[in-house]
Amino acid sequence: YYYVVNVFPKQQRVAKPSPHRITLLWDASLSGLRRDRKKEFELLDAYFEHLQHVDVDLVPFSNTVGEVRKFSIQHANWELLKKALQDIVYDGGTQLGALRLADYSCDEFLLFSDGHSTFGSDQIVTSKTPVYAVTAAADADFPFLRSLSGRTGGEFIDLDHLSTSQASDLLCYQTLRFLGGQPQDGL
């Protein structure tokens, strides 16, 4: 004999702690031209509206890491950052291994990329800081981005399959996670 129980815990929306500093990793390789930047900007707009005040370090990368630019978002006004993102020139291959996340001090990473590494190393050196991997590309490397966000405690956000509201919720609220189980004595 065996006994099976399916338990569906009631999910509560629990806001995650708001970050004070975000590092925005922006894939500026040539394949970035195939991403839907309109959806990416809509997500950033919703997230900054929720946060209101946050410091952002913009790190553009392709086969090398570009110059870090610092922005201070006040009252959800991110126009200077948006302009910097609109002015990025997309060129070259992608070397995800050029990213060493321990080099950046922040509360969370937002990685906007298709996840394809086409040049050099494809191994991102992670840290203990969560990575929220965001893609708006139909041909993205979904398993890689899902794995990266999962191992760092972040979330994978596929803007082709989620509304802006659903994607924003993944950035703003904690998700239910299975942390483990422990058998009772004698079982």
Side-chain angles (χ1 to χ4, degrees), residues 143-187:
F144 170 76
L145 295 171
R146 190 172 284 114
S147 170
L148 174 66
S149 58
R151 5 185 201 128
T152 61
E155 292 290 339
F156 170 63
I157 301 171
D158 180 2
L159 294 177
D160 282 341
H161 291 95
L162 296 173
S163 69
T164 300
S165 175
Q166 292 169 319
S168 179
D169 282 355
L170 290 173
L171 290 172
C172 299
Y173 298 97
Q174 296 177 5
T175 57
L176 187 63
R177 294 182 189 270
F178 178 71
L179 300 177
Q182 188 169 4
Q184 293 181 353
D185 291 338
L187 295 178

Side-chain angles (χ1 to χ4, degrees), residues 126-139:
T126 60
S127 66
K128 293 181 180 182
T129 306
V131 176
Y132 292 82
V134 180
T135 191
D139 64 342

Side-chain angles (χ1 to χ4, degrees), residues 24-61:
L24 180 59
L25 306 167
W26 194 268
D27 186 346
S29 65
L30 193 58
S31 66
L33 289 174
R34 294 193 307 263
R35 296 193 332 252
D36 188 338
R37 283 184 301 286
K38 181 178 184 277
K39 288 181 182 179
E40 293 174 338
F41 287 177
E42 287 173 356
L43 175 61
L44 288 173
D45 194 44
Y47 193 37
F48 293 142
E49 185 65 38
H50 172 80
L51 294 176
Q52 288 293 305
H53 307 282
V54 66
D55 291 326
V56 178
D57 294 340
L58 172 61
V59 180
F61 70 94

Side-chain angles (χ1 to χ4, degrees), residues 66-145:
E67 180 183 342
V68 177
R69 294 181 60 191
K70 297 182 180 299
F71 297 87
S72 182
I73 310 298
Q74 299 298 318
H75 306 288
N77 182 353
W78 67 288
E79 288 303 314
L80 292 175
L81 172 57
K82 187 180 208 177
K83 175 78 169 113
L85 292 172
Q86 290 169 333
D87 290 345
I88 285 181
V89 176
Y90 294 86
D91 192 23
T94 309
Q95 180 177 203
L96 293 169
L99 295 170
R100 299 184 46 80
L101 303 188
D103 293 347
Y104 306 100
S105 176
C106 62
D107 300 314
E108 67 187 28
F109 291 98
L110 298 180
L111 169 66
F112 284 78
S113 176
D114 61 11
H116 292 292
S117 196
T118 59
F119 181 85
S121 173
D122 63 352
Q123 299 300 310
I124 294 178
V125 179
T126 60
S127 66
K128 293 181 180 182
T129 306
V131 176
Y132 292 82
V134 180
T135 191
D139 64 342
D141 187 343
F142 300 106
F144 170 76
L145 295 171

